[in-house]
């Protein structure tokens, strides 16, 4: 018995060490990718090792950590779904035994923990540390800036706790809820994160439909259009730029605008299949993905009305690889994963397309650290809400694990149903508005031309009447003059 106990303890120890190593490797890969992305957009500064350089470097590391956690939140559901399907396909394979339910649950819990840490501690610390200068009268330096940052964090924490306390007291005023108001760990933090997740879900609901319609425009700008689909306004713009460049050369100006050359570079470098086939194929893929997403949401609405199991819920079952949650097996799992990534990219595109958040758009080698902090916080909120939105909309049937499945609003039928209805309706309206914009513009132009013609006609008729009156008066004075007919002006 003692040998068996030792063997079991050794197996548990080795499995835990293996899980820690896998988590560390995954985090290291995400951190390296995040660091490369941020340094690509960060504004270049001098290499002097002064106080501001140290503060910028610390803020950069914190932003990189936050962006890595955002990538981990995006990969949670896809990694869990594909792991479940792999274990179903190869249940006895020795080389994939490390892929188990304990590892998946550990990843969900770690991502949830560090997402809260980044959102409530690290990112506010990075912002206040970047903006701090030290208290008045104190010695300038890193220590004084750190002290001011911690004081600001303490005051911010008190403000947030006070707002949550007042809001929860107004919503639930029974005796049990009043007693739970004094429980910081078991009540405040779950309730606060539930509110943040709901705000993230609403932000996704606002950004994703806009991004789904905006994706067609973005891909149209990145790809080379076929000759039959070229935009005449773009061609006119390029010709105008070329004319301005030639005019500057004739005037003796040495500066040359590179924009006219860029209008022709892509088309010259593009191959034949890229000029004629790539653009229609990409547009067809985008349209198919958007249509499938809306259809899945419509089916989920029907499931919500007739079946209680369609409600999103959390799962504490550590069993992985027991049953497939996809009707068509691995093929549907791959389609679900592609749709999740598509929705995430669309939500980011829609986020930066909104006028409210246009100021947060990063620019290559010209983005300040304050803007990078805002971008990291926004992407963290969107990515943390992505698993919840995917399960709420019925994109996947994989149950939420860890703290992601403990949000209070997930059990409210009316909130979940309204969320699905709003997503389907808003996405459909955005797509209809996108694809009918050209027709509406032509109709408005036609109506505008018709109104201008009627207005000009009425003006000419009035001018003709006035001229006719003048002609009548002149004919009375001079009988030989010929009166002017008003019909002539009206016909003109």
């Amino acid at each position: 018995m003692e040998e068996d106990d030792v063997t079991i303890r050794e197996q548990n120890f080795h499995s835990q060490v293996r899980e820690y190593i896998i988590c560390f490797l995954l985090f290291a890969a995400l951190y390296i990718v995040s660091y490369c992305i941020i340094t690509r957009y960060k504004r270049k500064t001098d290499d002097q090792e002064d106080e501001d350089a140290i503060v910028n470097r610390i803020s950069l590391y914190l932003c990189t950590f936050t962006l890595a956690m955002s990538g981990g939140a995006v990969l949670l559901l896809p990694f869990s779904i594909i792991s479940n399907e792999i274990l179903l396909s190869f249940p006895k394979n020795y080389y994939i035994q490390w892929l188990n339910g304990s590892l998946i649950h550990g990843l969900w819990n770690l991502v949830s923990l560090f997402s809260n840490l980044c959102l409530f501690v690290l990112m506010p610390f990075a912002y206040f540390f970047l903006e701090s200068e030290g208290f008045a009268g104190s010695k300038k330096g890193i220590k004084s800036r750190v002290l001011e940052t911690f004081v600001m964090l303490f005051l911010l924490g008190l403000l947030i706790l006070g707002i949550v306390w007042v809001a929860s007291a107004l919503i639930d005023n029974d005796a049990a809820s009043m007693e739970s108001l004094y429980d910081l760990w078991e009540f405040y933090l779950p309730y606060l994160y539930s509110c943040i997740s709901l705000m993230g879900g609403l932000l996704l609901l606002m950004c994703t439909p806009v991004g789904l319609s905006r994706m067609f425009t973005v891909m149209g700008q990145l790809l080379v259009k076929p000759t039959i689909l070229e935009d005449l306004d773009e061609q006119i713009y390029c010709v105008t730029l070329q004319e301005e460049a030639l005019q500057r050369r004739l005037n003796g100006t040495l500066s040359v605008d590179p924009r006219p050359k860029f209008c022709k570079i892509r088309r010259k470098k593009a191959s034949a299949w890229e000029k004629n086939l790539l653009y229609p194929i990409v547009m067809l893929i985008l349209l198919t993905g958007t249509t499938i997403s809306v259809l899945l949401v419509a089916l989920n609405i029907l499931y919500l009305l007739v079946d209680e199991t369609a409600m999103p819920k959390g799962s504490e079952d550590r069993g992985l690889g027991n049953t497939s949650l996809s009707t068509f097996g691995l093929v549907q799992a791959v389609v679900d994963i592609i749709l999740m990534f598509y929705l995430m990219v669309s939500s980011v595109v829609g986020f930066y397309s909104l006028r409210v958040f246009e100021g947060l758009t990063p620019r290559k080698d010209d983005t300040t650290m304050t803007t990078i902090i805002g971008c990291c916080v926004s992407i963290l909120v969107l990515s943390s809400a992505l698993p919840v939105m995917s399960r709420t909309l019925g994109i996947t049937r994989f149950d939420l694990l860890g703290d992601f499945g403990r949000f209070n609003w997930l059990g409210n039928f009316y909130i979940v149903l309204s969320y699905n209805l709003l997503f389907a309706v808003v996405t459909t309206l955005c797509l209809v508005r996108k694809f009918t914009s050209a027709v509406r513009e032509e109709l408005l132009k036609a109506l505008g031309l018709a109104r201008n013609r009627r207005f000009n006609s009425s003006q000419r008729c009035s001018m003709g009447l006035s001229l006719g009156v003048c002609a009548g008066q002149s004919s009375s004075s001079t009988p030989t003059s010929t009166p002017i007919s008003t019909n002539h002006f009206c016909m003109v």
Side-chain angles (χ1 to χ4, degrees), residues 463-486 489:
M463 289 173 61
L465 290 174
S466 61
L467 289 174
V469 172
C470 296
Q473 292 177 355
S474 61
S475 63
S476 60
S477 59
T478 56
T480 58
S481 61
T482 306
I484 302 174
S485 175
T486 60
F489 291 96

Side-chain angles (χ1 to χ4, degrees), residues 210-227:
V210 177
L212 289 174
S213 61
R214 178 68 177 168
M215 284 289 289
F216 294 92
T217 304
V218 172
M219 297 307 297
Q221 294 173 353
L222 296 177
L223 299 177
V224 177
K225 296 181 181 180
T227 307

Side-chain angles (χ1 to χ4, degrees), residues 45-195:
T45 56
D46 298 333
D47 296 332
Q48 299 178 357
E49 288 294 332
D50 56 354
E51 181 181 328
D52 291 334
I54 296 174
V55 172
N56 284 332
R57 188 178 298 111
I58 294 174
S59 301
L60 174 64
Y61 294 153
L62 295 179
C63 290
T64 305
F65 184 84
T66 303
L67 191 59
M69 286 299 103
S70 302
V74 173
L75 295 174
L76 276 180
L77 264 181
F79 186 75
S80 302
I81 293 172
I82 200 68
S83 300
N84 185 61
E85 296 299 328
I86 289 175
L87 290 176
L88 281 174
S89 303
F90 308 99
K92 302 297 182 180
N93 195 325
Y94 174 77
Y95 297 100
I96 59 172
Q97 293 302 314
W98 57 272
L99 200 61
N100 49 34
S102 178
L103 174 63
I104 301 301
H105 274 263
L107 288 174
W108 282 76
N109 291 329
L110 287 175
V111 170
S112 175
L113 173 64
F114 286 112
S115 296
N116 289 329
L117 181 66
C118 294
L119 189 61
F120 298 117
V121 180
L122 297 185
M123 285 295 94
F125 178 84
Y127 177 75
F128 290 133
F129 191 46
L130 194 67
E131 298 293 330
S132 64
E133 297 179 355
F135 291 109
S138 62
K139 184 179 180 181
K140 300 298 182 181
I142 298 295
K143 292 183 178 180
S144 61
R145 298 180 72 164
V146 171
L147 179 61
E148 180 185 354
T149 302
F150 277 113
V151 172
M152 293 298 297
L153 281 177
F154 178 73
L155 296 177
L156 179 64
L158 289 180
L159 178 62
I160 294 177
L161 290 178
I163 293 174
V164 174
W165 194 90
V166 172
S168 58
L170 292 176
I171 295 174
D172 297 326
N173 54 4
D174 55 341
S177 299
M178 295 299 292
E179 291 180 0
S180 63
L181 291 176
Y182 302 97
D183 191 352
L184 177 63
W185 187 260
E186 296 293 334
F187 175 76
Y188 269 112
L189 295 181
Y191 184 80
L192 182 60
Y193 192 56
S194 179
C195 295

